[in-house]
Amino acid sequence: MSIINRIFLAASSSLIREIESSMSNPFALQRECFENLMTHSAKTAYGKMVGIDALAKSGHSYKERLREFQSRVPIMEYDAFVPYIERMRKGERNVLWDEPTKWFAKSSGTSSQKSKFIPVTPTSLKLTHYGGFRRMLAWYIHTHPQSRIFCGKALTLGGSVQVDGLDEGRAKSGDLSAILLSNSPALVESLRTPSRKSALMGDFNKKLDAICKECSSQNVTNFAGVPSWNLMLINKLLEYNGCSNLLEIWPNMELFMHGGIGFDPYREIYKTLIPSGNMHYLENYNASEGYFAFQDNLDFDGMLLTVGNGVFYEFVPLPQLPDFLSGAKCRAATLEEVELGVDYALVISSVNGLFRYLIGDCVKFVSLLPHRIKVSGRTKLSINAFGEELMIGNAERALAEACRRCNCTVTDFTVAPLFMEALQSGSSFTKGRHRWVVEFGRAPQDLDAFARELDYQLTQQNSDYEAKRAGNATMEQLELIEVPKGSFERWMGSRGKLGGQNKVPRLYHNQDYIESLLNYLHQ
């Protein structure tokens, strides 16, 4: 083990102990988190409005106060928090959290607002976001003591930061990655590349050019981010340096920490571009609202839920979610009550000031003690046009298996239902179907055979899809449209959506995105 690894592990010993404790008794850490949240929220306008101030002073047991908390505080989506967040952005204190908050993570989520502005309080920045990365790295070095990632630099794409006009320039908003870069300590900056100036460039294409010039000659050992955007960077680097794989530029590359979208459709193309038996791919669950989980065992399919990070978790079985949102008297499950294999809508109460906030993600537990999860989809990112209940996890796994069987790779895709009334007059189609628009990295030899294989794999991943496809009962075979390489990047750029915080819309309930993409390509 290198000296720098020994120093890092010694400095991270408390986090290692916390992670080990979370594997055997996560409930104690969650109880501590709940108590801390009650104490701080009692001082806020929101906490007083919903009665948390009285709850925090009561002498009741933890379970009694938890039940009272669940009874008093409603589960809410982002739109319901907007009035409180706008007060915070204007500089008002003690609204949702009892700390002055000047940073707001801007993201394009599922809400009626064009953008979401998630509070990043000083505590959430340190405990949840930076703490999440530290936990992940500490455990990686703990389980891979011969790692040499600290012998080189970590590459992060970054986003951009804007001054927030609601607070006379004092508040700032931007991509979470940009906020983290803007606040990273000097020691971290010394181990990271590119320069902060390059990483925070607003123009994504100029950012890629700057990274190629600045980082090609450096010793980069690890990188992090969304697979699709990092794939663009890798292709740009290979073109800039005239190389066929990334190891010709960075021979000591060891680790890719990925998140944001499913990695399965990208796995094979990454292995092709980074042909190394020493390369590791580590999934982490890092959102604007917080850092929630990381892959603690690279041989195990699932991420360890982070329970000592200032976030108290609740879980709503997905079929019951409409009842919760309609105000029905239902009780969400805590970590002690979850079951394996159930799709849960994730609800968080956090040191960022959001209490019983419906984050919009669905998770599924793949093990208990330790509690490991997989992100199974979005509460609103699914297609259910014909009763097929296709979630993003189903689609990504089916696509990955179809690619494996047909010896091809996919760089981007989007899917939407095509209803019967949308079919052209005289078409041979008589029922609805899904339309897939796919950009291949390495195209299949037979596109029709790939479409059939993908359709078959969807039936293997989703029993509802299988039932609707059986005998063409409700749905016909999917339609596949191949688009040229670079199509999605150019289209996203035309919409001002380049960068790691912007994601290609994978599943959508109508043809709007597909028509926009195809119309753009036909201009």
Side-chain angles (χ1 to χ4, degrees):
M1 185 187 300
S2 67
I3 294 177
I4 191 170
N5 283 7
R6 292 180 186 276
I7 294 173
F8 177 73
L9 286 177
S12 305
S13 58
S14 61
L15 293 180
I16 298 290
R17 289 194 297 272
E18 177 200 293
I19 294 168
E20 292 173 334
S21 176
S22 74
M23 291 179 171
S24 58
N25 187 16
F27 317 124
L29 290 169
Q30 280 286 275
R31 286 194 290 271
E32 290 177 14
C33 177
F34 179 79
E35 304 292 357
N36 179 61
L37 289 170
M38 293 301 97
T39 299
H40 286 273
S41 180
K43 306 172 187 177
T44 68
Y46 182 76
K48 293 174 182 177
M49 184 190 73
V50 297
I52 293 179
D53 56 338
L55 190 60
K57 298 175 184 176
S58 74
H60 296 156
S61 68
Y62 161 72
K63 288 189 176 181
E64 290 173 328
R65 286 186 295 119
L66 173 59
R67 297 293 176 257
E68 187 68 19
F69 170 76
Q70 292 179 321
S71 174
R72 292 185 182 190
V73 183
I75 291 177
M76 300 196 304
E77 298 181 276
Y78 176 79
D79 288 351
F81 283 99
V82 169
Y84 304 99
I85 293 174
E86 287 188 347
R87 288 165 60 184
M88 295 175 72
R89 290 171 63 199
K90 291 177 181 178
E92 185 176 343
R93 298 190 176 189
N94 297 320
V95 179
L96 291 173
W97 193 247
D98 62 344
E99 291 177 305
T101 304
K102 70 174 184 177
W103 290 98
F104 296 84
K106 185 177 179 181
S107 68
S108 54
T110 305
S111 78
S112 65
Q113 308 290 315
K114 181 179 179 181
S115 298
K116 296 194 299 185
F117 293 87
I118 304 299
V120 182
T121 65
T123 299
S124 68
L125 184 65
K126 179 180 179 180
L127 179 62
T128 309
H129 291 292
Y130 285 140
F133 278 108
R134 280 199 61 195
R135 289 176 179 87
M136 175 182 65
L137 286 174
W139 195 254
Y140 177 77
I141 299 299
H142 176 68
T143 54
H144 295 81
Q146 303 307 316
S147 168
R148 297 183 60 81
I149 60 171
F150 294 135
C151 297
K153 294 201 171 187
L155 186 143
T156 50
L157 280 176
S160 60
V161 170
Q162 304 85 34
V163 173
D164 196 328
L166 292 184
D167 187 25
E168 298 178 352
R170 290 189 292 272
K172 295 182 179 180
S173 62
D175 298 340
L176 174 65
S177 57
I179 292 174
L180 297 178
L181 284 174
S182 298
N183 291 277
S184 61
L187 179 60
V188 173
E189 283 296 295
S190 68
L191 297 172
R192 193 197 58 76
T193 194
S195 65
R196 189 175 287 173
K197 178 182 177 181
S198 298
L200 294 177
M201 283 183 175
D203 187 307
F204 187 73
N205 288 314
K206 290 182 178 178
K207 189 201 304 282
L208 294 186
D209 290 337
I211 290 175
C212 288
K213 294 176 183 177
E214 185 176 338
C215 304
S216 291
S217 60
Q218 294 180 332
N219 179 27
V220 176
T221 59
N222 63 101
F223 63 113
V226 179
S228 55
W229 298 113
N230 277 275
L231 186 57
M232 293 182 193
L233 171 62
I234 292 173
N235 287 326
K236 190 76 172 179
L237 281 161
L238 297 181
E239 178 185 354
Y240 178 82
N241 290 280
C243 297
S244 60
N245 68 70
L246 198 61
L247 297 180
E248 296 176 33
I249 305 170
W250 297 325
N252 299 314
M253 177 59 64
E254 175 187 333
L255 178 66
F256 177 35
M257 297 160 282
H258 59 86
I261 60 176
F263 188 59
D264 280 349
Y266 297 91
R267 191 176 300 276
E268 290 306 315
I269 196 168
Y270 268 84
K271 288 182 178 179
T272 300
L273 295 175
I274 313 175
S276 170
N278 297 320
M279 185 67 191
H280 298 135
Y281 298 93
L282 194 160
E283 184 177 11
N284 66 109
Y285 183 8
N286 181 35
S288 299
E289 292 85 355
Y291 191 107
F292 303 129
F294 66 91
Q295 193 173 0
D296 63 302
N297 186 332
L298 298 183
D299 297 323
F300 194 91
D301 190 17
M303 295 177 287
L304 181 70
L305 192 68
T306 306
V307 293
N309 61 339
V311 180
F312 184 79
Y313 301 98
E314 295 176 80
F315 306 89
V316 177
L318 198 56
Q320 298 179 19
L321 185 58
D323 296 332
F324 276 83
L325 296 179
S326 67
K329 293 295 183 180
C330 305
R331 193 173 64 80
T334 62
L335 196 63
E336 296 176 79
E337 301 164 318
V338 295
E339 300 176 358
L340 294 175
V342 177
D343 282 309
Y344 290 106
L346 179 61
V347 177
I348 64 166
S349 299
S350 170
V351 291
N352 64 8
L354 300 179
F355 279 73
R356 305 205 83 199
Y357 171 65
L358 185 66
I359 192 173
D361 287 336
C362 297
V363 300
K364 181 182 296 185
F365 284 89
V366 295
S367 75
L368 302 178
L369 292 176
H371 282 66
R372 295 191 180 102
I373 61 170
K374 291 185 69 174
V375 178
S376 56
R378 295 280 290 174
T379 57
K380 294 184 179 179
L381 186 57
S382 63
I383 299 177
N384 192 31
F386 314 106
E388 70 275 35
E389 288 284 2
L390 180 69
M391 299 185 70
I392 186 62
N394 305 145
E396 290 178 333
R397 287 190 292 273
L399 181 61
E401 181 61 18
C403 285
R404 187 186 71 81
R405 290 174 178 251
C406 296
N407 192 29
C408 61
T409 59
V410 166
T411 57
D412 260 316
F413 71 95
T414 187
V415 190
L418 195 59
F419 296 94
M420 286 180 284
E421 59 268 27
L423 301 178
Q424 295 179 357
S425 177
S427 169
S428 60
F429 294 102
T430 58
K431 298 181 176 68
R433 64 193 186 279
H434 287 181
R435 173 180 280 173
W436 286 66
V437 179
V438 178
E439 179 183 319
F440 291 98
R442 182 176 66 248
Q445 291 185 350
D446 187 332
L447 197 64
D448 291 337
F450 177 80
R452 292 192 296 272
E453 182 64 36
L454 176 57
D455 191 72
Y456 169 75
Q457 291 301 329
L458 287 167
T459 68
Q460 300 304 294
Q461 291 290 333
N462 185 301
S463 58
D464 290 317
Y465 186 91
E466 181 182 28
K468 302 307 179 290
R469 283 286 296 115
N472 288 347
T474 306
M475 297 173 61
E476 293 195 333
Q477 179 184 302
L478 63 85
E479 174 188 350
L480 186 69
I481 300 174
E482 180 185 8
V483 294
K485 291 182 180 180
S487 294
F488 279 91
E489 179 183 358
R490 295 193 300 274
W491 174 60
M492 292 288 281
S494 73
R495 300 169 58 234
K497 296 291 185 180
L498 285 178
Q501 294 299 112
N502 299 293
K503 301 177 181 66
V504 171
R506 297 300 194 204
L507 304 184
Y508 199 62
H509 63 273
N510 63 41
Q511 293 284 312
D512 287 355
Y513 285 119
I514 287 181
E515 289 177 358
S516 171
L517 170 60
L518 297 180
N519 287 337
Y520 171 77
L521 296 177
H522 292 153
Q523 289 177 0

